[in-house]
Amino acid sequence: MSKKLVFGHKSPDTDTICSAIVMAEMQKAKGEDVEAVRLGELNKETKYALEYLKVETPRLLEKVEEGQEVILVDHNEFQQSVDGIEAAKIITVVDHHRINNFATAEPLYYHAEPLGCTATILYKLCQIENIEVTPKMAGLMVSAIVSDTLLFKSPTCTNTDKEVATKLAEIAGLNIEEYGLNMLKAGTDLDDFTAEELISLDAKEVSKNDVKVVIAQVNTVSIEDVFKRQKELEEAINTKIEKDNIQLFVLAVTDILNSNSELLVLGNRSDVVEKQGKLENNRLFMPGVVSRKKQILPMIDKNLD
Ligand code: MG
Ligand code: MG
Ligand code: MG
């Protein structure tokens, strides 16, 4: 049997990548042969973190063979996972998302908690299983928590995330505010991405009642700056809508400094978002909204009923 593979979701974010690497380290500490891999290109925020921490980028995985043993982190929904996942053998899941479109043929370990970040759950597992948290692992987990909670400002952030991040920053020798803001800012440098890349950097697909929805998100320090490219972004989104038969595409442009988002909404079911507020020029400003999981997705989900 080939070695076990651990990976997070497609359009990888910092939690997905860092948690996969940490989970592989945890398994190795227990004597298991596990390799962390990734399902897509790294964003600039994650690149910043890995370079700063001097950690190697995991290998790209296109698909898994039938029967391959896999560990999933930071996701469970099959449409967000690797191609071939239906025929793989999922042995463990560590995740902080809703459980949906997920089924296995055999029993498995499933660690789910409604915390702000997968890495926070991994830290708790290290404590339970008596696995030493090295400075490298701590740095990776801090990066993941900062990313998923937008430096503790997201409504997804819990006290546990904050407490764990504070402990981890100490182990890693990082100033969390300074390192965290630099890391988040590195992810807002969007200039050299094409419109096509921008709309797929951090995109999640969900379906309900036969409506296929994609919610993409980009972080910025200036919403207006991103919307200077509105026309180009709309062209890319409309091409994607045609190609993948998507009924609703939402691009959330999130201001990480002021904690607001402006949505760019296209597709023949944009009425779903209009129930929330009238679109102007395909746009809807949402004050205080930064979380896809806790704010944008539930709003869409409710309006799809
Ligand atoms: Mg994620
Ligand atoms: Mg996550
Ligand atoms: Mg995210």
Side-chain angles (χ1 to χ4, degrees), residues 15-33:
D15 182 27
T16 260
I17 295 293
C18 293
S19 286
I21 300 170
V22 169
M23 186 61 175
E25 296 283 317
M26 288 168 63
Q27 298 304 306
K28 282 178 206 160
K30 294 196 283 185
E32 299 274 348
D33 193 14

Side-chain angles (χ1 to χ4, degrees), residues 9 13 15-16 74 96-97 148 204:
H9 52 79
D13 57 18
D15 182 27
T16 260
D74 197 36
H96 66 130
H97 293 90
D148 268 14
K204 290 217 170 129

Side-chain angles (χ1 to χ4, degrees), residues 49-304:
L50 295 192
E51 271 165 33
Y52 189 95
L53 301 168
K54 300 190 177 64
V55 173
E56 238 177 275
T57 303
R59 156 175 85 88
L60 180 70
L61 180 73
E62 305 273 4
K63 63 178 185 52
V64 286
E65 302 301 325
E66 191 180 337
Q68 168 70 49
E69 292 190 308
V70 298
I71 297 171
L72 309 188
V73 293
D74 197 36
H75 75 298
N76 66 80
E77 302 192 40
F78 281 4
Q79 69 261 53
Q80 297 166 8
S81 198
V82 72
D83 295 349
I85 188 68
E86 292 82 2
K89 186 177 175 195
I90 302 170
I91 53 174
T92 303
V93 179
V94 184
D95 189 24
H96 66 130
H97 293 90
R98 69 173 186 180
I99 301 171
N100 189 43
N101 184 19
F102 179 85
T104 59
E106 288 177 58
L108 76 160
Y109 290 100
Y110 201 116
H111 305 281
E113 291 193 48
L115 299 176
C117 183
T118 305
T120 308
I121 308 172
L122 291 179
Y123 175 80
K124 292 177 77 177
L125 290 175
C126 285
Q127 301 302 106
I128 293 166
E129 297 178 27
N130 242 322
I131 296 169
E132 188 202 349
V133 177
T134 63
K136 171 186 161 184
M137 287 160 73
L140 290 165
M141 288 192 269
V142 168
S143 306
I145 296 171
V146 164
S147 173
D148 268 14
T149 66
L150 289 177
L151 246 177
F152 315 128
K153 285 197 288 192
S154 170
T156 57
C157 185
T158 67
N159 283 332
T160 309
D161 296 296
K162 263 189 226 168
E163 281 164 22
V164 166
T166 307
K167 277 183 215 159
L168 289 168
E170 214 177 285
I171 299 172
L174 289 170
N175 175 325
I176 202 161
E177 292 292 328
E178 189 191 328
Y179 170 73
L181 197 58
N182 285 338
M183 188 197 86
L184 288 177
K185 278 189 178 159
T188 66
D189 171 17
L190 305 171
D191 289 352
D192 44 334
F193 288 111
T194 64
E196 290 74 24
E197 286 166 337
L198 267 189
I199 63 162
S200 61
L201 269 177
D202 178 8
K204 290 217 170 129
E205 187 190 307
V206 290
S207 302
K208 189 173 186 184
N209 301 337
D210 287 326
V211 182
K212 191 162 156 188
V213 183
V214 173
I215 311 171
Q217 187 168 33
V218 292
N219 288 346
T220 183
V221 287
S222 161
I223 287 177
E224 276 319 301
D225 261 11
V226 177
F227 276 98
K228 281 182 190 150
R229 299 175 69 181
Q230 181 170 354
K231 196 165 166 281
E232 192 196 340
L233 288 166
E234 288 193 4
E235 279 168 14
I237 291 170
N238 282 325
T239 305
K240 177 95 179 146
I241 283 174
E242 285 270 308
K243 186 173 142 271
D244 294 346
N245 191 25
I246 295 160
Q247 281 79 49
L248 174 62
F249 194 108
V250 177
L251 174 67
V253 179
T254 299
D255 178 341
I256 57 164
L257 299 181
N258 300 301
S259 302
N260 300 311
S261 292
E262 184 144 355
L263 310 183
L264 178 60
V265 183
L266 293 169
N268 60 20
R269 291 304 311 273
S270 42
D271 62 290
V272 171
V273 177
E274 288 234 84
K275 285 184 191 164
Q276 200 62 34
K278 192 164 163 31
L279 297 178
E280 279 181 48
N281 186 18
N282 300 326
R283 290 160 66 165
L284 179 65
F285 183 71
M286 302 198 77
V289 168
V290 297
S291 169
R292 172 170 44 204
K293 187 194 329 198
K294 275 227 163 164
Q295 296 169 311
I296 302 169
L297 180 59
M299 178 265 284
I300 289 171
D301 203 53
K302 174 179 77 161
N303 292 345
L304 271 172

